[in-house]
Amino acid sequence: MAIVDVNSSKSQVLAALHQHGTECVHVQSPDPDVVLGQPYDPEGFVGGVRHDGDVTATASALREYGVSSVIAIGESGVELVAQLSAELGTPGNGLSRPNCRRDKYEMVLALRDAGLAHAASIVSPDVDEIIEWAETTVGYPIVLKPVASCGTDNVMACPSPEKVRAAHEKIMTSTDRFGQTNETVLAQQFLEGDEYYVNTVSRNGKHRTVDIWRYYKRRDPGGSFVYDYDEPLAPDDPDAKALELYTHQVLDALEIHNGAAHTEVMLTARGPVLVECAGRIGGAHAPEVLRRCFGTNQVDLLALSVAKPDEFDRLPTTACPLLQRTRSVSLINPRDSGVVPSHESMAEIRALPSHAYTSMWHPEGRRLPRTIDAGTAPGLIYLVSDDSAEILADYQKLRQIELDYLYDGRSHVEPAEGVST
């Protein structure tokens, strides 16, 4: 198995593949994710290949290892995986629209041509053209974003021409999460409704839904979207059925025939409408927690699809049953500055009755900006319980701890009885 661009999910993916006796080769793309990407560490791999742009040469190097499949963990590997799979003749995804799984405007065009519901969109480096489009077609607010980034990077809701100009300038004068200069801007109609994501694994064009979650996001004063928390839907929920059917149609339109996908969908008054689809596993996985809640997870099913395809093919196509309630909570630094909390500072959060898992995304003591997107979030907490009231109470306590002291660089210690502070 070849894995393109390791990131924070490396150990989870390797563990799942090694469990089936699968050896792994790492491929380093030219432009990995500068937020979640990690330097190549040979531990766990039988070898590594650096891709310099020559697909034939990289495929030849992988052929020497006997690679029988190529997968992407992160967004930066999605296009290269399709190219290498085609060159190697291994299971891969379609190339009739080679950029539609990364370029979000091409993604919209693929849905349009397939007759699927999609957001009205325009892509332009000219802010005046975008403003004219908004005022003559969809109205305000509109959403601006880079065409090929991820993780709410520079995704902004703009309620006026002034906000459009400010957002457009910010995007055009910055680089995306892969270090690439933004040369144009994607503008889309604002979709009213509830947002969900659907995690799937596909093999030979047959899609299996792993889980479906509802997003809860905040919008900060600048118009940026900040992840708050996610909660899963039961597979027999009527909304889950509609989301699953639409998502599988989106995967077909984007020619995602093999591998994992993470699809974000807005459930609007006119039905499901795509926000965006990524041809890789969902971010911020905690496999051991998800096994408790669903009996499996996307990483395990991806490994099964390539290591034991016949066993994978016998699985049901619908979402896994919900065994325990859970809430995935994104940590949020509410201040303009702060530091990554120490292990001691996190003790009160770990003591919450429903606490199940903590993942901090930066080293202790590192300076933290105010959280404005996924890239500036300090980390992730999973709460798990049979009691939804307990999860809610613990979530509220967690947010209060953040407001009180969590990112100010000191541990919170209750004073001993009789001692004043």
Side-chain angles (χ1 to χ4, degrees), residues 356-417:
Y357 177 87
T358 294
S359 177
M360 300 304 292
W361 297 337
H362 309 282
E364 289 185 13
R366 174 179 288 183
R367 301 301 303 179
L368 275 177
R370 181 171 59 89
T371 301
I372 59 169
D373 55 21
T376 52
L380 180 76
I381 304 289
Y382 273 95
L383 305 175
V384 178
S385 175
D386 292 324
D387 184 356
S388 58
E390 181 176 73
I391 289 177
L392 175 60
D394 288 352
Y395 163 80
Q396 292 170 337
K397 177 65 174 176
L398 185 159
R399 291 298 187 215
Q400 191 61 51
I401 291 170
E402 287 188 309
L403 287 171
D404 288 346
Y405 73 89
L406 190 59
Y407 307 109
D408 65 5
R410 60 185 174 89
S411 297
H412 177 67
V413 180
E414 294 292 340
E417 186 176 350

Side-chain angles (χ1 to χ4, degrees), residues 206-341:
K206 293 185 177 181
H207 314 300
R208 280 157 178 81
T209 303
V210 185
D211 44 26
I212 302 172
W213 297 67
R214 181 178 172 183
Y215 273 130
Y216 293 83
K217 295 179 182 179
R218 305 179 181 184
R219 200 188 311 173
D220 79 354
S224 298
F225 293 94
V226 177
Y227 291 111
D228 189 348
Y229 63 91
D230 316 332
E231 288 186 331
L233 267 66
D236 57 355
D237 187 300
D239 288 341
K241 300 290 186 182
L243 291 162
E244 181 173 65
L245 174 61
Y246 176 78
T247 296
H248 288 193
Q249 293 172 330
V250 168
L251 298 178
D252 289 339
L254 300 180
E255 298 184 293
I256 296 180
H257 307 311
N258 292 279
H262 174 79
T263 306
E264 300 176 349
V265 180
M266 193 72 72
L267 193 54
T268 72
R270 61 185 171 116
V273 180
L274 183 70
V275 176
E276 57 190 59
C277 178
R280 40 80 178 171
I281 61 173
H285 256 65
E288 63 273 27
V289 175
L290 298 177
R291 286 188 203 105
R292 285 176 55 185
C293 299
F294 301 101
T296 187
N297 59 77
Q298 192 180 29
V299 170
D300 286 352
L301 290 186
L302 176 61
L304 188 69
S305 73
V306 296
K308 297 181 178 178
D310 292 341
E311 185 174 333
F312 176 82
D313 287 343
R314 292 193 292 270
L315 296 174
T317 60
T318 55
C320 300
L322 186 57
L323 307 177
Q324 277 192 293
R325 298 178 185 274
T326 184
R327 180 176 288 195
S328 170
V329 183
S330 294
L331 295 178
I332 297 172
N333 174 25
R335 300 181 178 87
D336 289 335
S337 66
V339 297
V340 177

Side-chain angles (χ1 to χ4, degrees), residues 138-143 157 188-193 219 225:
V138 297
Y140 295 107
I142 60 172
V143 175
Q188 296 184 304
Q189 71 177 121
F190 184 87
L191 298 172
E192 294 280 0
R219 200 188 311 173
F225 293 94

Side-chain angles (χ1 to χ4, degrees), residues 58-140:
T58 301
S60 178
L62 295 179
R63 204 173 279 115
E64 292 182 10
Y65 282 102
V67 164
S68 60
S69 190
V70 187
I71 62 171
I73 296 182
E75 194 76 9
S76 60
V78 169
E79 290 183 338
L80 180 55
V81 163
Q83 295 165 3
L84 290 172
S85 298
E87 185 72 21
L88 289 166
T90 57
N93 295 321
L95 288 173
S96 64
R97 288 182 179 268
N99 301 320
C100 73
R101 292 178 290 273
R102 285 285 292 117
D103 185 307
K104 294 175 177 58
Y105 187 63
E106 287 290 326
M107 192 175 292
V108 168
L109 297 182
L111 264 62
R112 182 199 66 185
D113 291 350
L116 296 178
H118 57 279
S121 305
I122 184 175
V123 63
S124 177
D126 184 345
V127 67
D128 290 323
E129 182 180 14
I130 289 176
I131 290 172
E132 180 182 4
W133 171 81
E135 294 179 345
T136 58
T137 56
V138 297
Y140 295 107

